[in-house]
Amino acid sequence: MIRIEQLNQKYGGTQILWNLDLEIERGSCTCIMGRNGAGKTTLLKCLMGLLPASSGQILFEGRPIEGSAAQARAKMGIGYVPQGRDIFPLLTVEENLQIGLPARRDGLRRIPERIFELFPVLRDMLHRRGGDLSGGQQQQLAIGRALVIDPKVLILDEPNEGIQPNIVRQIGDVVMQLNAEDGLTVILVEQKLGFARRVGREFRLMQKGSVVAADKMANLDDGLIRQYLAV
Amino acid sequence: MKFLLHSLWLVAALLLPAGSPLAQTPPTAPAVGELLQQIPNASLKKTGELVQQLEQAGGAEMRPLFEAMLAGELYAVKESDKLVAVTKDRAGRLVGREIFNDRKLAAFASRDLKKIRVNNRLRSQLRDAIARIDLLHGSEEQQHAAVLSILDDLSSQNMRLLRSAETAGASAQVQEVIALADAMVQLRDSRVLEERLAAIEIMSGRLEAPVRNQLQRLLNDDGEQEVAVKAAAQKALDKIAGRVEFYGQMEQLFFGLSLGSVLLLAAIGLAITFGVMGVINMAHGEMIMLGAYTTYVIQQLMPGAIEYSLLLAVPAAFLVSGGVGVLIERGVIRHLQGRPLETLLATFGLSLILQQAVRSIFSPLNMQVVTPGWMSGSLVINPVFSLTYNRLYILLFALAVFAALVAILKKSSLGLNVRAVSQNRDMAKAMGVRTELVDAMTFGLGSGIAGVAGVALSQLTNVGPNLGQSYIIDSFMVVVFGGVGNLLGTLVGGFSLGVANKFLEPATGAVLANIIVLVCLILFIQKRPKGLFPQRGRAAE
Amino acid sequence: MNTLSALRSFGQWFAEFRQPGRGSSWLVGILLLVTLTMSAANLLLPADSPLYVSTYTITLMGKYLCFAMLAMAVDIIWGYCGILSLGHGAFFALGGYGMGMYLMRQIGDRGVYGNADLPDFMVFLNWQELPWFWFGMDQFWFAVLMALLVPGLLAFGFGWLAFRSRVTGVYLSIMTQALTYALMLAFFRNEMGFGGNNGLTDFKDILGFDLQADGTRVALLLATTLLLVLAFLSSRAIVQSRLGRVIVAVRDAEARARFLGYRTEHYKVWLFVYSALIAAVAGMLYVPQVGIINPGEFSPLNSIEVVVWVAVGGRGTLYGAIVGALLVNYAKTRFTALMPDAWLFALGALFVIVTVYLPRGLAGIFERFAVGMRREKHGEKSWRENSGQLSAGEVSA
Amino acid sequence: MRRDTTWPFLIPRRRMVDVSKDIILYLEDLNVSFDGFRALNNLNLYVNDGELRCLIGANGAGKTTLMDVITGKTRCDSGSAWFGQNIDLLAHDEAEIAQLGIGRKFQKPTVFEAHTVFHNLELSLRCGKGVWRALTARLSGSERDRIDEVLSIIGLESSRHQLAGALSHGQKQWLEIGMLLAAEPRLLLVDEPVAGMTAEEAERTAELLTSLAGKHTVIVVEHDMEFVRSIARTVTVLHQGSVLAEGTMDQVQNNRDVVEVYLGEGA
Amino acid sequence: AETIKVGVLHSLSGTMAISETTLKDTVLMMVDEQNRKGGLLGKKLEAVVVDPASDWPLFAEKARELLTKDKVDVIFGCWTSVSRKSVLPVIEELNGLMFYPVQYEGEESSKNVFYTGASPNQQAIPAVDYLMSDLEVERWVLAGTDYVYPRTTNKILEAYLESKGVAKEDILVNYTPFGHSDWQSIVSDIKKFGSAGKKTAVVSTINGDANVPFYKELANQGVSSEDIPVVAFSVGEEELSGIDTGPLVGHLAAWNYFQGIDSEANEYFVQQWKKFIGDEKRVTNDPMEATYIGFNMWAKAVEKAGTTNVDAVEQAMIGIEFPNLTGGVAKMNKNHHLSKPVFIGEIQDNGQFEVVWATDDVVAGDAWSDFLPGSKDLIADWTAPIKCGNYNTESKACSGQAK
Ligand SMILES: Nc1ncnc2c1ncn2[C@@H]1O[C@H](COP(=O)(O)OP(=O)(O)OP(=O)(O)O)[C@@H](O)[C@H]1O
Ligand SMILES: Nc1ncnc2c1ncn2[C@@H]1O[C@H](COP(=O)(O)OP(=O)(O)OP(=O)(O)O)[C@@H](O)[C@H]1O
Ligand SMILES: NC(N)=O
Ligand SMILES: [Mg+2]
Ligand SMILES: [Mg+2]
């Protein structure tokens, strides 16, 4: 589904990603982990096209996409839930959801019911400003918003940061459901081991801008954790 | 020499075939021809006397002559000293027509014609003469106007005219004014107390200036002994003053709204480029200027259709300014993504360039934009209260533009996309929004609307290279006062600044009013640091 | 990995080097050198010597330096504290008027009407006596005091109101613009007693020295240079002190600074007053050199132009502001003579090109030059772009 | 309009908070509403001196708002807030409250992006915050040591000269905690400190906060239950702007209401 | 020098460009013409054009530049009084020579400046005389832009009107800022003021840009020239070219020149101008004639003096005569002001003026008004033995000249 080869990225002079390789299979649910500053967010932004890579290749369904703009990638079917949620604060919940409609490939111009089935709370909040929602509601909105464009791949960057436990659970359930039932490919950045273990089926470990380990989630052992996640 | 010409003309007139216009519609008295003959070579003073004699000799039939003279269309053919009315046609040719029967004549060359000079004094004389003619022969409206103008001069001769008009069967409206004139004469001439009091009763509350002036004179007149008359006059005058005061307030309100509509028009485009997009657009004024110049160009291109030129100018100005706006966005602003303060610098540079470009292309002089007939003059509600059409239309136009803009931003996906992009560009991209297109369209829209404002302003003020500069500061003030990013704020802001200014002006003068409004604005912002309609919620912090 | 750590340590060194204002002492040297040489060349060389510097050039230089000082004043609050003042011309002009009033009183009975008590413009508009606010202005010390006190108090009052109510961003900018606009309209009024549109002019001498004399002009230039250098040094001291860091902190995260215990409004007010005073001093030096002060100096467009100088030079670096002011004004002088019909095209294009291609102004090139480390430069740029996003929110919010 | 117009140099230096009754924070009947929405609803809360108190509650329960009220950011509609026996928090503004010794870490990490990590800490040091003081201030040796110490605690020694704007999200979290430490406040309000940290880092943060308790009073808001469990002595649960439950972790965890609105089944 | 340099100091950008650019072109045309005639003293003339950009301090700087860097022999320049005041000290310091071609408030006479525009007694006073005698005006609105020219002119007019027995309440004075564009209230006030039963006129010293909206508002509120005529001192053919003059027919202006005045010289001048500027529609106006006269007088004076030396030319200038474009002869007086005829014209719908009144003879420009208390005793005389610009006939001394 997604294949990243020899990706390098720099913020001006400082190189963040170093010859990074990554492969994501169709229908998988991959959890990317690594310490603070390892470059996870940077990787996802490169994937989404929000940051230019300085070299390397990104293949989406076999086609190179590193030249295309973020909006084009959205239309190809990459949905993005950024770290910190990035809700449009002054738009209503409904408007936040509507934004993505034109990017749908099937031409649907109404917010799909499915979203409200997954997140009933959004229906109640339809006419409130996104910025006024609480953190947990915003997170649900962010996921819902990404789903509006009917993505083939869903990218989630630390979706549980600052979210109350029962909603964390709920989000986990939704992600698993999407992955299992709708066959959505999921890429998830997560720090909390518990959640990662529960939701993810594969893992990739990052350190200093490179992927240093990749395997099934079941094989994530204490050794790896100590080596790459402990401080 | 003169005598010779004179006799020649006489001979010619006698010899003229029956088809000759003068022979066909001969002015009633033979003297008329002779008088007409003298006009081309008369001094201004002499012309005045001639006009007087013509009126007496020719009566109502002289109206076309007087009209042509008043309109400055009266010429003499140099060779023959024959009088003709000449106007320019669409192509700029001089076309003549016979004065008394409107028959078309061949086109003239300007060197063959001599203009009959008219001055101010002559013009008022002509106007009076026409009024007298109209009183008897004119339409109802003309009669009404004529009677009103006679109120100024209630000579016995004029009163006789009124009498005959009355007997000739004037409409009720005209009758009423004639009755007023009668009352004024009564008050002036009568010795009978009751009659005079009755006259004052009729005059009481009337808004016509001569009525007021007569009452005022009466009060100031030490020779007037009748206490009751003076008291009644005072009462009548007070009543008039009350009504005048009321209409004065109405007028001020209209002035204020009208000024507000100008501010609104000037600011509304900025409310988008600056308010929504966050570009400190110093070239906004120049977008207005481009709109005004577009109006000028349109009028140049279609000199025959001045009446419709504005209707065409509105979309044209939108396209021109909007197009330039899109170019600016694509060429410059786009490179300044995320550096909003720097847009100030670039757009300032652009405004200099645009100003100088206009100077180079059109010359530094003001261009003449013609006001179409339907926008000239005013809607007279009563003698002390009238609304000028241009201001009225501009007020309506401003509201229409505002409504259209709100509709676009609320109903189309552009509005939603613009707001999304301005709140979080990256996230909008990630949602598939074509941010570049949205930016260009939005800037184009804001600029285009500025251009449309330019069309309206061309009807009020100079169309010159400095047009834009005079509005840029006010525009920013209005947008900020209303609350950045809030269109309704711009509307309310514009109108309240306009009205405040106009209500202060009578007391303080234009300059001080402006200063006071500015100081109040500064103090107001201390109370509401985010303008009239601030963005609310925690997101705005 | 080795190169990485080398880069890192270089970055550390660079970050410390890049402390605002540091490493720009060269500017002081050049300024002093140039003006001293020019002065000597004007006074000591004969007029026909090829190296002779004309009084015209001296006066021009003096004017540029006044503008440079004004630009620096704007940069201190805009570049360092993020307060974009679109009305700093007001303080400049008030300082100028203070000096102008003094110079006006020095004319004494040498005016056209020979009235020792009243300036000419008052005589022909039938003023009977000197308005109260003109009293004492014939004393140099008092005039200077007033020329500092009035703009200082205005800045204090305005800043106190605005910063206390937390007026920020464009709201503040437009209010400063309203302030200078209101002052412009007020000073245009002849009733104000400042000569209306004509302003104050036809000065004869200052402190007893003939304003037309070369010596006086050179002295004025030197005084301007000296004060500019002083203002530069003191401003640099400020921005390099902890105060300077608090100010930058206020610019970037005012709420954070407040929760650390800083009364940010006090910092802003004092900085605003300081900046206004520098602007006033610039105005005071400007008037005797150009020979006129009129309400046009209050025009908002003038103030915007100052901001443009700063942006061209590179905001957030004191020397950038100075260089920007000198360059733009020199360009203006040259262009208006070389291509009087088309100079606005050139100047406008200059502004556009600088913004698009030199995001950090001339100082940006200079830094690239001086540091020679393109990578580091970019490193910072990317961060700046991010912070730009922040302020974009601030503008549109 | 602000009620006081006193210049900082006129304010008596650092008034000591009186905690003779062992309670450092009294919050009584607090009400805050935004456009008719009640964010805090008759809230009562007492915090003992030297305590480490955990504050949990659903998203939108009003935790951050509560901190806003304590630190002077948000004015409450009614109620009272006292710092110790003698200081009425409602009569002070943000800067004064900070100077009184209440430090705060924001939910969204906020640092001075144009400054280096080092200078961020320098600006946070506990010292005079007046304009004049700032102008004349020179870093003393002990202050420098203090900064170094904090740097090593937060693990950013190697980034000391990096601009804070270029730090990653998690690094900014640490830096902000470091800024709190440097300020040595009496009362620390810590809003979601471990969001975006690895379990390992969270553990370190827990250790750090526990070690601070005693000398300082700490109020922590966090959604990470594991983390809360590891540090908590007393836990207060907020719900819809008022206190829903208070007690030890165990008590709270077994409270039906809390489970229903917050923890969820099986947590 | 191989050429004689002529400095041109008129704003080509900024607010005044609208008026001043024309004068720059006029000077260039005159220079061309003179060169075609063989130049002066056997040398070609060379124009040095700079742009002071409507920025008053810049005027002073540019004047200094022209005199010291370009070493020009004469400057033609300035429009607004403030720009003239700004360059005056420079011109005097460097002993330059300047010709100022615009009507102004008077109260000045410098050794280094020749004033070829009208002073108030050559424009304002005759206009008021005309209104009073011919139109029997009894009530007066003095409307002006708030700056020194209107202020002074109106002061003079007030004194003059009062001396003619006009009551104070029959005079309404109103000032507006530069570029004022919202005239609704003021026109409405004028209407009210004029409806008191006495013939009312507006004497307008409204400056340039503010006129278009002013006249538009007058027309729209139905104030016609027969009801309340407006006589303007700053509205010429060029200003009218930017206005739709249809509704303005009959309003008045007072000048020393109108394009429409028939004379051979004028016809030639107008044709020459249209050809030079390449636009058949361009018009001429009074300040252009003043430039024309000034330029030709200077040329004559240079030939008379045989040098371009400022002192020599200055002395040679006095008494020089040159034909007006309107017929008759203009003469440079001892006070550096001209003697010129005064015309009152009525606006026509083609944007031209029709002369309705003219002085019988030329009027000598007065540097110091007789109607201002401060200056009624002052005269200017640049010939020996007085040789000063402000000689007090009472105290027999030149005030302010104690250098
Ligand atoms: N705008 C920027 N400019 C320069 N450097 C940056 C920028 N953004 C991030 N970095 C650096 O890039 C590195 C990787 O950051 P990134 O945000 O990708 O980390 P992360 O793995 O997502 O960390 P976290 O778990 O804390 O979110 C960090 O060291 C950070 O300092
Ligand atoms: N400035 C504001 N304007 C409008 N509503 C606000 C504002 N600040 C807070 N709220 C509302 O008040 C409620 C409480 O918000 P608060 O931030 O205190 O919650 P919280 O308990 O900190 O939640 P979280 O755990 O998600 O951070 C929320 O519903 C929020 O929408
Ligand atoms: N001199 C003038 N008209 O300013
Ligand atoms: Mg991250
Ligand atoms: Mg919170």
Side-chain angles (χ1 to χ4, degrees), chain A residues 11 14 16 34-43 83 157-158 191, chain C residues 8 379 382-383 386, chain D residues 162 165-171 196:
Chain A
Y11 280 114
T14 340
I16 305 298
R35 292 192 187 102
N36 290 134
K40 305 177 293 290
T41 301
T42 308
L43 167 65
Q83 184 165 21
D157 197 351
E158 308 206 18
Q191 304 274 32
Chain C
R8 281 266 154 82
S382 73
W383 165 74
N386 275 359
Chain D
Q162 214 174 329
L167 296 178
S168 80
H169 181 77
Q171 289 167 323

Side-chain angles (χ1 to χ4, degrees), chain B residues 314-357:
Chain B
V314 169
F318 184 83
L319 291 179
V320 170
S321 294
V324 173
V326 169
L327 287 180
I328 291 178
E329 204 285 330
R330 290 286 78 194
V332 179
I333 309 285
R334 148 176 95 104
H335 300 290
L336 307 178
Q337 219 90 85
R339 293 189 277 146
L341 290 179
E342 260 113 300
T343 57
L344 169 104
L345 173 56
T347 51
F348 186 73
L350 286 169
S351 82
L352 296 184
I353 291 175
L354 285 170
Q355 269 173 48
Q356 193 62 22

Side-chain angles (χ1 to χ4, degrees), chain E residues 129-383:
Chain E
D129 280 339
Y130 168 75
L131 290 175
M132 231 183 306
S133 59
D134 276 40
L135 298 186
E136 285 147 20
V137 171
E138 297 169 286
R139 237 163 125 79
W140 304 85
V141 179
L142 309 182
T145 300
D146 192 3
Y147 73 113
V148 64
Y149 167 64
R151 286 258 173 196
T152 318
T153 306
N154 289 343
K155 274 260 175 316
I156 293 171
L157 288 182
E158 270 181 280
Y160 184 68
L161 287 173
E162 274 167 40
S163 78
K164 295 274 174 177
V166 176
K168 263 208 149 47
E169 65 266 20
D170 282 336
I171 302 177
L172 173 74
V173 185
N174 182 288
Y175 290 106
T176 39
F178 279 96
H180 190 65
S181 62
D182 195 283
W183 289 92
Q184 301 180 88
S185 314
I186 292 163
V187 168
S188 162
D189 286 349
I190 291 175
K191 243 170 98 177
K192 284 189 197 113
F193 189 75
S195 67
K198 290 183 183 172
K199 180 73 179 173
T200 304
V202 178
V203 178
S204 153
T205 38
I206 295 166
N207 176 273
D209 267 2
N211 276 301
V212 172
F214 174 61
Y215 282 109
K216 284 195 169 171
E217 192 66 39
L218 276 179
N220 282 320
Q221 292 201 21
V223 179
S224 73
S225 59
E226 296 104 74
D227 308 333
I228 302 180
V230 177
V231 57
F233 305 148
S234 302
V235 176
E237 289 83 350
E238 191 147 87
E239 283 74 18
L240 288 187
S241 72
I243 317 182
D244 173 13
T245 45
L248 305 186
V249 172
H251 287 304
L252 305 152
W255 291 104
N256 307 116
Y257 167 88
F258 285 114
Q259 179 180 346
I261 292 176
D262 253 345
S263 88
E264 219 163 281
N266 190 27
E267 195 164 321
Y268 175 73
F269 181 73
V270 173
Q271 283 317 314
Q272 188 192 9
W273 170 243
K274 291 187 172 176
K275 212 171 110 214
F276 180 81
I277 210 79
D279 179 357
E280 265 305 302
K281 290 199 181 132
R282 276 294 278 266
V283 293
T284 58
N285 65 6
D286 178 278
M288 284 174 70
E289 194 219 17
T291 302
Y292 164 89
I293 294 176
F295 187 92
N296 283 305
M297 283 187 164
W298 169 74
K300 261 179 113 173
V302 168
E303 295 210 302
K304 184 169 149 199
T307 167
T308 55
N309 175 285
V310 169
D311 294 321
V313 174
E314 189 263 325
Q315 280 304 307
M317 274 296 296
I318 293 172
I320 292 255
E321 297 190 346
F322 193 82
N324 293 308
L325 288 174
T326 54
V329 175
K331 179 167 167 235
M332 181 54 73
N333 299 319
K334 293 175 188 171
N335 63 0
H336 284 193
H337 288 64
L338 285 177
S339 289
K340 296 204 283 189
V342 184
F343 303 98
I344 310 278
E346 267 186 18
I347 298 177
Q348 306 293 297
D349 56 3
N350 61 358
Q352 290 290 327
F353 290 89
E354 178 81 48
V355 174
V356 292
W357 187 85
T359 47
D360 300 329
D361 201 357
V362 291
V363 179
D366 204 356
W368 302 98
S369 173
D370 302 336
F371 296 96
L372 293 179
S375 69
K376 61 177 187 292
D377 299 329
L378 294 179
I379 60 160
D381 182 345
W382 289 103
T383 58

Side-chain angles (χ1 to χ4, degrees), chain A residues 55-116:
Chain A
S55 70
Q57 240 198 348
I58 304 177
L59 299 169
F60 179 68
E61 297 186 311
R63 274 180 298 148
I65 57 165
E66 63 271 8
S68 40
Q71 50 265 46
R73 298 190 202 189
K75 286 187 181 144
M76 287 174 204
I78 307 184
Y80 180 55
V81 180
Q83 184 165 21
R85 311 185 261 276
D86 283 353
I87 292 302
F88 301 109
L90 299 174
L91 300 188
T92 62
V93 169
E94 186 175 22
E95 288 168 333
N96 264 288
L97 292 171
Q98 279 167 344
I99 282 287
L101 284 175
R104 284 182 73 95
R105 278 146 294 151
D106 61 6
L108 182 72
R109 290 297 173 265
R110 285 184 36 252
I111 302 166
E113 263 320 289
R114 174 92 172 122
I115 304 219
F116 297 117

Side-chain angles (χ1 to χ4, degrees), chain A residues 128 132 134-135, chain B residues 537-538 541, chain D residues 34 37 39 58-65 107 192 223:
Chain A
R128 287 187 61 182
D132 287 351
S134 81
Chain B
R538 63 189 348 182
E541 278 161 19
Chain D
F34 300 104
F37 173 82
N59 292 119
K63 306 180 292 296
T64 302
T65 308
Q107 186 163 358
E192 306 200 11
H223 290 296

